[in-house]
Amino acid sequence: MRSLVISTKGGAGKSTFVFEILAPFMYEKTKSKVKTYEYDSENQETENYFATSLLDSQIIKTNNDEMIGDDLFKHKSEKEFIVDVGGGSRAAEFILSSGSFFNHLFDRIFIPLNCGVQDAVNAIATYKEIVNQGYPADKITFVLSQADFESVAENKTMFVAFLGSNEMPKAKAGFGFDGYLKQELGKKADYLFAPYNQRLFWSKLQGKLAYELHDDLPKFQELLKSNKDEEIMAGQKNVRIITEIDRWVDRMRKLTFPALEKIYV
C-alpha cells in the first residue's frame, strides 16, 4: 500500500502514526523493511530511529514542491511505501501544488487529528482540498490520534468536535451535536483510532520503534541479577517502561490494526 500521511496542523500525531503504527502494520503485512520517504527541510523525525531494523528510510531535505513531485514519481512503481510531508503550511502548499497527482501516487491518504475543535476544522479543510484536487474521497482515512481508551465507544467520547454526540447541547435548543464531520461533509467518512502512550519517547531514545522494544527486555531483566544497586535500579526502571510500552503495542494491535486491515491494498 502506497500511503501519504499529511496534516496542515502541527501536533496532530502525524509522526507517531507514521513510525509507531502504520510502519509496524506494514512490516507485519510484508515481512520486509518498510520504505519511508520524509520530505521536510526542518524536522527529520526519521533520524530518531537510527537503530531500527524495520525501516528503510530516506530523508529529502527540501521544501521545493517541484523537487518533491519529481522525486515521488521515481517511486510510483513501488508497491509499498509511506510518505511523510512536513506539517503546517508546508503540507497545505504541497496539496495545492501536487494534489492533482495524488491519485497516481497513493493508494491511501491518512489525515491525523487530535480531539480539539481546531483539529477538526483543519482536518476537514485538508480533506476537502485533497478531494477538490481529484483524489477519491473513499481512499481518505482520518486518524483520530491519542485515543486514550481500549474500546471504540469510549474513544468516540473524546472526539465530540469531530464525531458529534447525542448528549451535547445544540447551538439553539435541545440536544444532539452532529460534529464537524457530518456538518461539513454530510456523509460518512472513514476513520480509525490511534492510541498514544507518554512513554513512546523512550523508544526514540533507544533509536527504535516501540513495536520492536520487546526484544530489549532480556538485557534489562539480566540487570536485576546484578549485585550493584545502580544496575538493579536501572533494570527495574527499564523493565517497567518496556512492559508499559508492550501493553500499548498490544492495544494498538487490537484497536488500530484491524481498521488498517480493512483498507490495506
Side-chain angles (χ1 to χ4, degrees):
M1 181 168 70
R2 302 169 304 166
S3 304
L4 168 66
V5 183
I6 192 164
S7 172
T8 58
K9 185 178 184 298
K14 177 172 63 69
S15 295
T16 297
F17 179 70
V18 167
F19 295 102
E20 300 289 9
I21 298 178
L22 186 57
F25 170 79
M26 291 178 64
Y27 174 79
E28 286 201 356
K29 297 296 293 185
T30 63
K31 303 303 180 185
S32 59
K33 286 188 175 183
V34 178
K35 294 181 179 180
T36 65
Y37 301 110
E38 185 174 15
Y39 298 92
D40 197 330
S41 64
E42 298 177 0
N43 303 303
Q44 286 82 48
E45 185 71 13
T46 302
E47 294 179 347
N48 289 317
Y49 300 101
F50 54 86
T52 182
S53 61
L54 304 186
L55 301 179
D56 177 9
S57 300
Q58 293 184 30
I59 302 173
I60 299 87
K61 298 181 180 181
T62 181
N63 280 340
N64 184 296
D65 292 325
E66 185 174 347
M67 290 179 63
I68 293 174
D70 290 345
D71 190 76
L72 280 172
F73 267 99
K74 296 177 185 177
H75 307 293
K76 74 172 186 176
S77 61
E78 297 171 8
K79 293 183 178 180
E80 305 279 348
F81 61 73
I82 305 171
V83 169
D84 179 6
V85 177
S89 59
R90 171 86 289 277
E93 292 168 3
F94 177 64
I95 293 170
L96 288 173
S97 65
S98 304
S100 59
F101 304 116
F102 284 178
N103 199 29
H104 301 287
L105 295 170
F106 306 114
D107 301 310
R108 176 68 53 171
I109 294 178
F110 296 94
I111 304 174
L113 67 146
N114 274 318
C115 58
V117 172
Q118 194 57 46
D119 287 82
V121 171
N122 279 51
I124 294 295
T126 301
Y127 174 99
K128 287 182 175 180
E129 187 57 48
I130 292 172
V131 172
N132 286 342
Q133 295 280 354
Y135 193 81
D138 61 355
K139 293 184 178 181
I140 300 175
T141 298
F142 292 101
V143 178
L144 280 55
S145 301
Q146 299 191 14
D148 286 340
F149 303 102
E150 293 189 13
S151 75
V152 171
E154 288 180 298
N155 282 316
K156 284 183 177 180
T157 65
M158 290 182 59
F159 291 87
V160 172
F162 186 69
L163 298 176
S165 169
N166 291 331
E167 290 76 37
M168 286 288 290
K170 289 184 177 179
K172 295 183 179 180
F175 291 88
F177 175 68
D178 285 337
Y180 283 93
L181 181 61
K182 186 174 180 180
Q183 286 181 9
E184 296 296 323
L185 301 184
K187 58 183 178 181
K188 185 178 181 180
D190 188 62
Y191 65 87
L192 56 80
F193 292 103
Y196 180 74
N197 187 291
Q198 62 181 354
R199 299 289 192 183
L200 288 181
F201 77 90
W202 193 89
S203 69
K204 295 181 184 180
L205 295 178
Q206 311 307 309
K208 297 183 177 182
L209 308 182
Y211 175 88
E212 59 189 326
L213 280 180
H214 183 79
D215 295 339
D216 290 346
L217 190 58
K219 72 178 181 182
F220 292 115
Q221 289 174 327
E222 193 65 28
L223 289 178
L224 300 178
K225 303 175 184 178
S226 172
N227 57 7
K228 297 179 180 179
D229 289 344
E230 62 270 21
E231 290 186 355
I232 294 173
M233 291 178 64
Q236 290 174 336
K237 183 177 182 64
N238 286 288
V239 166
R240 283 198 300 269
I241 291 175
I242 293 179
T243 301
E244 185 176 338
I245 290 176
D246 275 350
R247 287 197 292 267
W248 175 84
V249 171
D250 184 61
R251 186 152 62 98
M252 174 183 70
R253 288 179 182 275
K254 293 177 180 177
L255 182 67
T256 313
F257 277 22
L260 288 170
E261 185 71 41
K262 292 177 181 178
I263 60 177
Y264 179 80
V265 293

